[in-house]
Amino acid sequence: MMPLLSTAAIAVAATVFFLLFLWASFVSASPGEIKVISGPRGQRVLHGKTGWKVPLLERVDTMTASMISVDAQTTDFVPTNDYINVRVDAAVKVRIATDDPTLFRAATRNFLYKTTAEISEEVRDTLEGHLRAIIGQMRLTDIITDRAAFSERVQENAKQDLEEMGLEIVAFNIQNVTDQNGVIDNLGIDNTEQIRKTAAIAKANAQKEVAQATAVAQKEANDAQVASQLEIAQKQTDLAKRQAALKVEADTEKAKADAAYEIQSQIQRRDIERETAQADIVKQEQQAVIKEKEVVVTKQALQAEVNAKADADRYAAEKKADAALYARQRQAEAEAFERTKKADADKQAMLAEAQGIEARGRAEASAIAAKLTAEAEGLEKKAEAMTKMNQAAVLEMYFRALPEVARAVAEPLSKVDTITMYGEGNNAQMVGDITKSISQINAGLGDSLGLDLQQMFTALVGAKVVSPTISDAVAEGVRDASVPNPPQE
């Protein structure tokens, strides 16, 4: 287990070390920056791409690839070619020349460890010198009127120096030119007055032309107005004549139309009256037909209503009779079911009660038999003493105990008020059960004493040896055992 853990730990450590090595070796340069990798193998430049370095052996330095703003201006007034002192302020944009490898190496050599502000300061000093040189070569009016040419001459003059630094000019704009004695303002006044003069002359010429054009336009407008009014009058005269002629024609046509209208109205009125009379006759005939049909329809409706009412009454009576019959049948069935149910319940209750009485009798008889058996066992020694006694003495003892046995067997029946027996032969069955119980007691007593009581009794009766005492005991046992039968239903 331990070697496996060691191997896993080594693998994890190696993976972590490899990832850290990759992270430390990876170099990325955005389009706005330049990464310079320096080491034993020299320098490698990355601009807008990624690369690798050897950790601990190579280092990475960063330079900006963005444009650098330079405020190039003369610190004091510089005389022009016509000896007028001026001060010039220019806004310049420069950047490191990344496209030319020679210029790029020069830029890395000059500005690798410098900030943008330091680069801007060095360029400003260089551009200021070239501004001074170009100002001394040009006249003031040329500088003011042709600033583009002035900018181009400064760029051409400063290009070589900037290339030696590894830079190139992107934009060069002259923002302001001022002089020390107000010459530029005076040049402006002269130009302004000249412009005003030219403008006044142009304005007067324009006003004269406007007046001439206005007069011509007014004359033409007046001629056109007169001609227009004459034409309008002629047109109105022609219109009045035409209107009068049209009115005559219209009145004639109106009179003709009125007469024709009146004639046509009479004809139309006559036709309307005739059509109205015929329509009234047809209407009355139609109303008579409608009345006849209404009588027929009313008669049929009344007849249908009477028939429907009779059918409904008959159907209702039939359904009422069927419902009454069905109710009586259901009531009779329910009463029969209740009687049957009550009889079954009474039967089950009586059978359960009879079975309970029989069970109690048998239990009490069994208890008495057990008691007599115990007493017989207790009298075993007495029986041995009576071995010399004859069988008559034994029977005498038996018949003296027999009334108690019969009384014990019949005693449960004496506590029952009423017994309802269902079926045939149930009375005989109950008496047979009582007799059977006494017989079982006799058999058990004979078995416990080892005597055949029936044989002994038969022998004694046959020999007429039964003593009066035995006979009395038998009679008493029979009398006591004859318990009156309870009322039966």
Side-chain angles (χ1 to χ4, degrees), residues 229-269:
Q229 289 176 356
L230 291 174
E231 185 178 0
I232 291 172
Q234 184 63 39
K235 295 291 185 181
Q236 288 177 350
T237 302
D238 296 339
L239 178 61
K241 292 179 180 180
R242 184 60 179 165
Q243 286 177 348
L246 292 173
K247 187 175 184 305
V248 172
E249 294 178 0
D251 292 340
T252 303
E253 296 296 329
K254 183 176 183 301
K256 293 178 181 180
D258 291 340
Y261 176 76
E262 185 65 26
I263 295 170
Q264 190 66 28
S265 297
Q266 295 296 331
I267 295 172
Q268 292 292 333
R269 186 180 304 108

Side-chain angles (χ1 to χ4, degrees), residues 11 85 95-96 157 161 267 279 297 332 346 370 395 442 462:
N85 295 328
R95 67 181 178 185
I96 295 175
N157 197 38
D161 292 342
I267 295 172
V297 172
D346 293 340
L395 290 175
N442 292 335

Side-chain angles (χ1 to χ4, degrees), residues 57-80:
L57 296 179
E58 294 180 336
R59 60 173 291 174
V60 178
D61 297 298
T62 303
M63 291 194 309
T64 182
S66 302
M67 290 187 296
I68 302 171
S69 298
V70 180
D71 185 12
Q73 62 179 352
T74 57
T75 56
D76 53 4
F77 289 95
V78 179
T80 63

Side-chain angles (χ1 to χ4, degrees), residues 151-193:
S151 299
E152 290 177 0
R153 292 186 63 177
V154 174
Q155 294 182 56
E156 291 175 358
N157 197 38
K159 181 179 181 181
Q160 184 176 359
D161 292 342
L162 293 177
E163 288 179 352
E164 291 179 357
M165 295 181 182
L167 302 175
E168 60 183 1
I169 297 175
V170 178
F172 192 102
N173 297 314
I174 303 298
Q175 291 185 334
N176 190 18
V177 178
T178 59
D179 68 290
Q180 191 174 13
N181 298 318
V183 177
I184 297 176
D185 294 336
N186 294 329
L187 291 175
I189 293 172
D190 184 21
N191 292 333
T192 302
E193 292 300 327

Side-chain angles (χ1 to χ4, degrees), residues 145-433:
T145 58
D146 194 359
R147 294 189 179 187
F150 177 62
S151 299
E152 290 177 0
R153 292 186 63 177
V154 174
Q155 294 182 56
E156 291 175 358
N157 197 38
K159 181 179 181 181
Q160 184 176 359
D161 292 342
L162 293 177
E163 288 179 352
E164 291 179 357
M165 295 181 182
L167 302 175
E168 60 183 1
I169 297 175
V170 178
F172 192 102
N173 297 314
I174 303 298
Q175 291 185 334
N176 190 18
V177 178
T178 59
D179 68 290
Q180 191 174 13
N181 298 318
V183 177
I184 297 176
D185 294 336
N186 294 329
L187 291 175
I189 293 172
D190 184 21
N191 292 333
T192 302
E193 292 300 327
Q194 186 66 32
I195 292 171
R196 286 179 180 178
K197 177 182 177 181
T198 304
I201 295 171
K203 181 178 180 182
N205 292 330
Q207 289 176 352
K208 181 181 70 175
E209 293 176 358
V210 168
Q212 291 175 354
T214 302
V216 173
Q218 287 178 353
K219 180 179 179 298
E220 293 177 355
N222 189 28
D223 295 341
Q225 184 176 4
V226 171
S228 176
Q229 289 176 356
L230 291 174
E231 185 178 0
I232 291 172
Q234 184 63 39
K235 295 291 185 181
Q236 288 177 350
T237 302
D238 296 339
L239 178 61
K241 292 179 180 180
R242 184 60 179 165
Q243 286 177 348
L246 292 173
K247 187 175 184 305
V248 172
E249 294 178 0
D251 292 340
T252 303
E253 296 296 329
K254 183 176 183 301
K256 293 178 181 180
D258 291 340
Y261 176 76
E262 185 65 26
I263 295 170
Q264 190 66 28
S265 297
Q266 295 296 331
I267 295 172
Q268 292 292 333
R269 186 180 304 108
R270 183 187 60 192
D271 294 339
I272 291 171
E273 289 175 355
R274 183 174 61 251
E275 295 295 333
T276 303
Q278 292 179 357
D280 291 338
I281 295 171
V282 174
K283 181 178 180 182
Q284 291 175 1
E285 292 175 354
Q286 293 294 330
Q287 288 179 350
V289 174
I290 291 171
K291 291 293 183 181
E292 292 177 358
K293 290 185 178 180
E294 287 180 352
V295 172
V296 174
V297 172
T298 303
K299 182 178 178 181
Q300 292 177 354
L302 292 174
Q303 185 177 359
E305 184 178 358
V306 172
N307 293 336
K309 188 175 185 302
D311 293 339
D313 294 339
R314 183 175 66 255
Y315 180 76
E318 290 176 357
K319 290 300 179 181
K320 184 176 181 180
D322 293 342
L325 178 60
Y326 179 75
R328 289 195 298 273
Q329 290 177 354
R330 295 298 296 174
Q331 184 177 4
E333 291 176 359
E335 291 176 354
F337 177 76
E338 292 296 332
R339 289 195 298 271
T340 303
K341 183 177 180 181
K342 186 174 184 301
D344 292 340
D346 293 340
K347 180 179 178 181
Q348 294 296 329
M350 292 304 175
L351 289 176
E353 186 176 1
Q355 291 176 359
I357 293 172
E358 181 181 357
R360 286 198 301 270
R362 290 180 180 178
E364 292 178 358
S366 299
I368 294 172
K371 180 179 179 182
L372 293 176
T373 301
E375 291 179 354
E377 291 176 356
L379 295 175
E380 184 179 356
K381 292 183 179 180
K382 183 177 180 181
E384 292 178 358
M386 296 176 64
T387 52
K388 294 181 180 181
M389 295 177 61
N390 54 17
Q391 295 179 349
V394 176
L395 290 175
E396 181 179 3
M397 295 177 63
Y398 170 74
F399 283 111
R400 288 185 181 277
L402 186 59
E404 297 295 331
V405 175
R407 187 180 299 110
V409 173
E411 184 177 1
L413 295 177
S414 64
K415 298 179 180 179
V416 179
D417 294 334
T418 302
I419 298 177
T420 302
M421 306 296 293
Y422 293 92
E424 298 179 358
N426 288 328
N427 293 333
Q429 182 179 358
M430 183 177 69
V431 175
D433 291 338

